[in-house]
Amino acid sequence: MKNTFLVTFLLLGCAFGFAQTEAELKAEMAPKKDSIAAIQGRVDAIQAKIDALPGWKKGAFGTIGANLTNFNNWYAQGSPNNSSGNIGVTVNGFANLKQEKFFWRNSMNVNLAWVKFDDKDDPSDDDSFRQASDVFTISSLYGQKLSEKFAISGLGEYRTTLLSNFNDPGYLDLGVGATWTPITDLVVVIHPLNYNFVFSKNDAVFESSLGAKIVADYTRKIGAVNFKTNLSMFQSYKSGDLSNYTWINSFGYTLWNGIGLGFEFGLRNNKQEALNYALNQTPATATSFDDVENDLQTYVLFGLNYAF
């Protein structure tokens, strides 16, 4: 009995000792965490000053997503023998020049994706990867400053596809107007004089026109986080059927050595593209702008993120 009591007492004493040690360590760690936060705050403040300096600022980040599967004799599903997969890649790059009296901002967005589903029991099935997403956009904005927040500006923006039907259609916006930069990383472009050139073999659907161009771009890096949202909108003065917009949101979180997790989400509305697609169906699902189903176009990509 004495031995049992002694062992129990020693165990309780050790547990209490360890508890004290853990509490002491946590108490010792708390002020160090505060010191790290204070140091990071000073580093961020210095980085903000560096970002505000004149000169070129360049960078890029994007997302790579892939999913590959192979099934053999998996009878629980409709196609027990199949091979499937999807691969997606996005790139967001920029090169911005900031000077005392002017600025020049250049950006690029690329989104490419491929998918396949091969039913091995169907010899007529297509076993190759097919194009799923194809977006290519470059833009260049020059501004002559009137003040720190306002500038007279000119914009050139080109949008098309790369994998197929390059420049068919292709959209080239050229316009002039004003640019507002209310905060460091936000740029709002309002160009009431803008011509939207549309290049396509199908002149019966696609048409160039004069209109207004509105662009809002917010690009920022906070520590390990890269974030970019870009809205590009054209409002035709001739007809609402010729108007369009594209809104792309990209997010990346760096975990190690420039590699992390990424997410990109895009929205687009373009009635000319909707009608062109409908007329190319067999049978055609629309005859004109009046009866076409202009559904919202979307894409989502989640995968590994890279930044440099």
Side-chain angles (χ1 to χ4, degrees), residues 157-169:
E157 180 184 87
Y158 178 68
R159 292 171 287 120
T160 187
T161 57
L162 291 177
L163 300 178
S164 64
N165 302 322
F166 177 75
N167 203 41
D168 185 22

Side-chain angles (χ1 to χ4, degrees), residues 196 208-212 234-244:
N196 179 236
S208 303
S209 64
L210 182 68
F234 172 73
Q235 181 62 49
S236 174
Y237 293 147
K238 184 175 183 179
S239 171
D241 295 334
L242 306 180
S243 302
N244 62 76

Side-chain angles (χ1 to χ4, degrees), residues 68-72 74 77 80-85 116 118 120:
L68 303 174
T69 61
N70 187 77
F71 289 92
N72 292 302
W74 199 264
Q77 58 189 16
N81 300 290
N82 73 75
S83 174
S84 64
K116 83 165 184 175
D118 175 26
K120 299 176 184 178

Side-chain angles (χ1 to χ4, degrees), residues 9 14 38 61 73 83 97 99 149 162 169 173 177 191 201 208 232 252 261 284 297 304:
F9 180 77
C14 289
F61 74 99
N73 304 320
S83 174
L97 175 62
Q99 295 293 346
K149 297 186 182 298
L162 291 177
D173 281 294
H191 285 178
K201 296 176 182 178
S208 303
S232 178
L261 297 176
Q297 305 173 46
L304 291 178

Side-chain angles (χ1 to χ4, degrees), residues 119-302:
D119 186 347
K120 299 176 184 178
D121 298 325
D122 183 359
S124 64
D125 193 23
D126 186 1
D127 62 353
S128 63
F129 278 91
R130 294 175 294 170
Q131 171 195 330
S133 177
D134 192 358
V135 178
F136 175 73
T137 304
I138 56 174
S139 68
S140 183
L141 174 69
Y142 176 84
Q144 193 72 29
K145 295 182 180 178
L146 301 176
S147 67
E148 280 301 311
K149 297 186 182 298
F150 291 95
I152 299 299
S153 56
L155 172 70
E157 180 184 87
Y158 178 68
R159 292 171 287 120
T160 187
T161 57
L162 291 177
L163 300 178
S164 64
N165 302 322
F166 177 75
N167 203 41
D168 185 22
Y171 304 90
L172 175 62
D173 281 294
L174 294 175
V176 293
T179 295
W180 178 43
T181 53
I183 57 177
T184 302
D185 303 298
L186 176 62
V187 178
V188 180
V189 179
I190 303 175
H191 285 178
L193 186 60
N194 182 93
Y195 201 83
N196 179 236
F197 296 90
V198 184
F199 310 100
S200 175
K201 296 176 182 178
N202 190 352
D203 294 335
V205 174
F206 294 97
E207 183 180 352
S208 303
S209 64
L210 182 68
K213 184 73 173 181
I214 299 174
V215 177
D217 183 277
Y218 184 77
T219 304
R220 191 174 182 185
K221 181 178 181 181
I222 308 174
V225 177
N226 288 286
F227 177 78
K228 178 180 179 68
T229 181
N230 180 278
L231 172 65
S232 178
M233 178 185 302
F234 172 73
Q235 181 62 49
S236 174
Y237 293 147
K238 184 175 183 179
S239 171
D241 295 334
L242 306 180
S243 302
N244 62 76
Y245 70 82
T246 302
W247 185 23
I248 298 176
N249 302 276
S250 305
F251 174 86
Y253 183 77
T254 303
L255 296 173
W256 172 79
N257 202 25
I259 305 298
L261 297 176
F263 173 80
E264 183 161 306
F265 176 54
L267 302 173
R268 189 199 308 227
N269 185 285
N270 190 312
K271 202 168 186 179
Q272 295 180 90
E273 292 178 349
L275 179 58
N276 184 60
Y277 176 80
L279 292 174
N280 287 323
Q281 301 306 298
T282 306
T285 58
T287 59
S288 68
F289 285 115
D290 295 330
D291 60 357
V292 68
E293 291 285 342
N294 185 27
D295 296 328
L296 183 65
Q297 305 173 46
T298 67
Y299 73 80
V300 177
L301 178 65
F302 179 80

